[in-house]
């Protein structure tokens, strides 16, 4: 079997961590039971290009249990957990092409290698693989029947491809399922981004000024958790409704050019470019901490840091200190990549359970409806969301009410009044 990973000897540690994560992935467990019996993906080759974490390993094992032939690569050059890749190769015979810290060239080469398996399905995170397929002649990868997309930035890119009429196959936007973005983005990023900043810096949040750029699904989770740790939270936004929502939730809102001068810790979660830009960087206090948890490493204007620096060096694992020409020290975390996946382990398994249940059901949906779905961005039916939420609540031991017949009729009628 061909593969390219850091060190296969890490397999035991990786397997222990994969098992630990699975303990709280209740929906995936239920699906795995069914998949082992029914094998709905038999005969399908699936290329998973995702952050190579313990949770992703469990998703891959679910799809393997469903009968798929799996191949995997990383969706980020720095988020790969090498022990997890080793376990997938050694204990599960899955060809994996991922190593933490690879060059940009090697990173894209791994995607080409995954595609050389001629997959029927692609699980994408950020849209890189679908972008490659869009640029390729269709004959180069004729088997593809569809793809799934994990994150907000990927959905933005897919919509851009679709607008140009260039999408060749249906894509299920997993991110758009309610059981994904309402839980993974705020609760997952909220906890894991703080976890990453904590592990990298070990700084105290209480009493500090924490600047959250972007008050979307991820930003609102991060702001709430930073405030919960005692930070004074400032939000920056470009959307007036989101800015208003942040104000109503009790945060200070101001432009980044003002927040720059007062913030101690910055974390950008917008999916946008140069949010923490040169002008802001010039105003920051000595010792400021800069990070981002959006998909690509473009939210902090790193070229500006490079331009304005006198020197730089790694002062702690995950912390690059830029000494500016005016003497200020600015600390960039995770080389400007997703701080939660590079400096910590990504989201807790319990919340990835919901996202990856959508990935499983998205893959099944594409196979079941092969040939009938238009080549556009699809969202899974609401019933799938309800089923995932129901299974998760059941596993959590939470009971809830059902509508009575009378209530159902009332909610569908117009005749009743006061
Ligand atoms: N780190 C992770 O594990 C993880 C998990 C989920 C999503 N993401 C990524 O996080 C990013 C945000 O996702 P989301 O679901 O919150 O998106 P979202 O669209 O809900 O929110 C983004 C917000 O950023 C705001 N924004 C855009 N440009 C801005 C600017 N220049 N200054 C201030 N605000 C700006 C937008 O108005 C919007 O409110 C995406 O790149 C997504 O792919 C990362």
């Amino acid at each position: 079997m061909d593969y390219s990973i850091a060190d296969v000897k890490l397999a035991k540690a990786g397997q222990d961590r994969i098992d630990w994560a699975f303990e709280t992935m209740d929906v995936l467990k239920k699906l795995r039971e069914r998949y082992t019996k029914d094998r709905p993906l038999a005969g399908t080759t699936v290329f998973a290009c995702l952050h190579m974490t313990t949770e992703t390993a469990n998703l891959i094992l679910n799809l393997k249990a469903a009968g798929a032939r799996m191949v995997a690569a990383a969706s980020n050059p720095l988020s790969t957990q090498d022990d997890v890749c080793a376990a997938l190769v050694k204990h599960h015979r899955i060809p994996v092409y991922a190593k933490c810290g690879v060059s940009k060239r090697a990173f894209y080469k791994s995607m080409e290698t995954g595609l050389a398996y001629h997959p029927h399905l692609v699980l994408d995170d950020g849209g890189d693989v679908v972008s490659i397929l869009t640029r390729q002649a269709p004959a180069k990868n004729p088997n593809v029947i569809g793809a799934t997309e994990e994150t907000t930035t990927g959905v933005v890119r897919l919509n851009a491809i679709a607008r140009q009429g260039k999408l060749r196959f249906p894509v299920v936007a997993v991110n758009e399922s309610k059981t994904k973005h309402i839980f993974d983005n705020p609760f997952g990023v909220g906890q894991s981004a703080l976890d990453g900043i904590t592990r990298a810096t070990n700084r105290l949040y209480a009493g500090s000024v924490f600047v959250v750029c972007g008050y979307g699904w991820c930003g609102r989770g991060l702001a709430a958790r930073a405030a919960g740790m005692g930070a004074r939270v400032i939000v920056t936004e470009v959307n007036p409704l989101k800015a208003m929502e942040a104000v109503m939730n009790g945060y200070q809102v101001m432009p980044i050019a003002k927040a720059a001068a007062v913030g101690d810790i910055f974390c950008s979660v917008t999916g946008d470019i140069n949010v923490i830009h040169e002008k802001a960087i010039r105003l920051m206090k000595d010792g400021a901490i800069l990070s981002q948890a959006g998909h690509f490493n473009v939210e902090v204007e790193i070229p500006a840091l490079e331009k304005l620096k006198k020197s730089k060096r790694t002062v702690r694992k995950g912390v690059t200190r830029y000494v500016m020409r005016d003497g200020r020290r600015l600390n960039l975390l995770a080389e400007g990549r997703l701080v939660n996946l590079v400096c910590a382990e990504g989201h807790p398994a319990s919340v990835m359970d919901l996202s990856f249940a959508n990935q499983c059901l998205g893959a099944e949906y594409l196979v079941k409806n092969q040939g009938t779905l238009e080549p556009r961005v699809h969202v899974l039916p609401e019933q799938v969301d309800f089923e995932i939420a129901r299974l998760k609540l059941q596993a959590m031991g939470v009971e809830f009410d059902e509508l009575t017949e009378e209530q159902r009729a009332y909610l569908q009628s117009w005749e009743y009044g006061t």
Side-chain angles (χ1 to χ4, degrees), residues 51 125-126 149-154 156 175 180-181 184-186 188-189 192-193 212-220 236-240 242-243 256 268-276 292-296 299 338-341 346-347 352:
H51 296 291
D125 186 334
E149 172 50 55
E150 172 71 9
T151 198
T152 314
T153 286
V156 169
N175 187 70
K180 200 282 182 181
H181 65 258
D184 173 316
N185 300 23
V189 172
S192 64
V212 177
C213 303
Y215 200 68
W217 289 105
C218 298
R220 73 183 60 161
T236 73
E237 250 298 343
V238 290
N239 176 324
K242 304 283 174 142
I256 182 68
S268 180
V269 265
T270 64
D272 196 2
I273 191 166
N274 295 340
V275 177
I276 301 180
Q292 70 101 24
H295 188 76
F296 288 118
E299 306 211 6
L338 306 116
V339 70
N340 60 329
L341 280 141
H347 300 1
M352 289 314 293

Side-chain angles (χ1 to χ4, degrees), residues 57-80:
N58 281 307
L59 165 62
I60 289 172
L61 296 180
N62 260 37
L63 300 176
K64 188 173 184 234
R69 172 188 179 229
M70 295 301 303
V71 51
S75 62
N76 184 289
L78 278 187
S79 65
T80 299

Side-chain angles (χ1 to χ4, degrees), residues 327-396:
R328 286 172 310 137
R329 294 158 305 170
L330 301 182
N331 301 299
L332 178 68
L333 306 190
E335 297 177 23
R337 295 193 185 274
L338 306 116
V339 70
N340 60 329
L341 280 141
V342 177
C343 295
E345 294 167 72
H347 300 1
S350 171
V351 82
M352 289 314 293
D353 188 33
L354 297 170
S355 306
F356 285 169
N358 278 290
Q359 284 283 5
C360 288
L361 297 172
E364 256 191 289
Y365 183 76
L366 287 163
V367 168
K368 234 184 248 165
N369 295 292
Q370 183 180 349
T372 65
L373 296 172
E374 283 174 51
R376 61 173 174 82
V377 180
H378 295 257
V379 180
L380 288 174
E382 194 176 45
Q383 283 315 317
V384 173
D385 260 335
F386 285 164
E387 188 52 25
I388 293 174
R390 216 186 299 278
L391 286 172
K392 190 71 178 177
L393 287 166
Q394 206 179 56
M396 293 164 95

Side-chain angles (χ1 to χ4, degrees), residues 25-175:
M25 301 187 87
D26 305 294
V27 186
L28 284 204
K29 269 186 218 158
K30 286 260 175 225
L31 288 173
R32 200 176 293 179
E33 281 165 23
R34 173 163 73 75
Y35 286 174
T36 309
K37 273 201 290 137
D38 300 349
R39 298 179 63 82
L41 301 184
T44 311
T45 299
V46 178
F47 173 26
C49 186
L50 301 166
H51 296 291
M52 292 305 293
T53 63
T54 54
E55 295 79 20
T56 300
N58 281 307
L59 165 62
I60 289 172
L61 296 180
N62 260 37
L63 300 176
K64 188 173 184 234
R69 172 188 179 229
M70 295 301 303
V71 51
S75 62
N76 184 289
L78 278 187
S79 65
T80 299
Q81 299 175 3
D82 288 324
D83 56 347
V84 167
C85 299
L88 286 174
V89 166
K90 182 161 181 200
H91 299 308
H92 304 284
R93 311 294 302 154
I94 290 169
V96 178
Y97 300 90
K99 282 182 210 174
C100 186
V102 288
S103 67
K104 195 168 168 178
R105 198 160 155 267
F107 171 66
Y108 281 105
K109 174 88 183 10
S110 307
M111 289 183 204
E112 301 281 0
T113 310
L115 283 173
Y117 283 74
H118 296 300
H120 300 95
L121 290 180
V122 168
L123 314 187
D124 211 357
D125 186 334
D128 279 336
V129 182
V130 172
S131 300
I132 294 173
L133 286 169
T134 304
R135 289 191 191 102
Q136 269 180 1
K140 200 157 177 206
N141 249 294
N143 293 346
V144 181
I145 59 167
T148 60
E149 172 50 55
E150 172 71 9
T151 198
T152 314
T153 286
V155 176
V156 169
R157 296 178 81 195
L158 281 172
N159 284 328
I161 297 173
R163 269 198 308 277
Q164 291 183 1
K166 291 185 176 163
L167 201 55
R168 285 183 8 223
F169 40 76
V171 184
V172 170
V174 163
N175 187 70

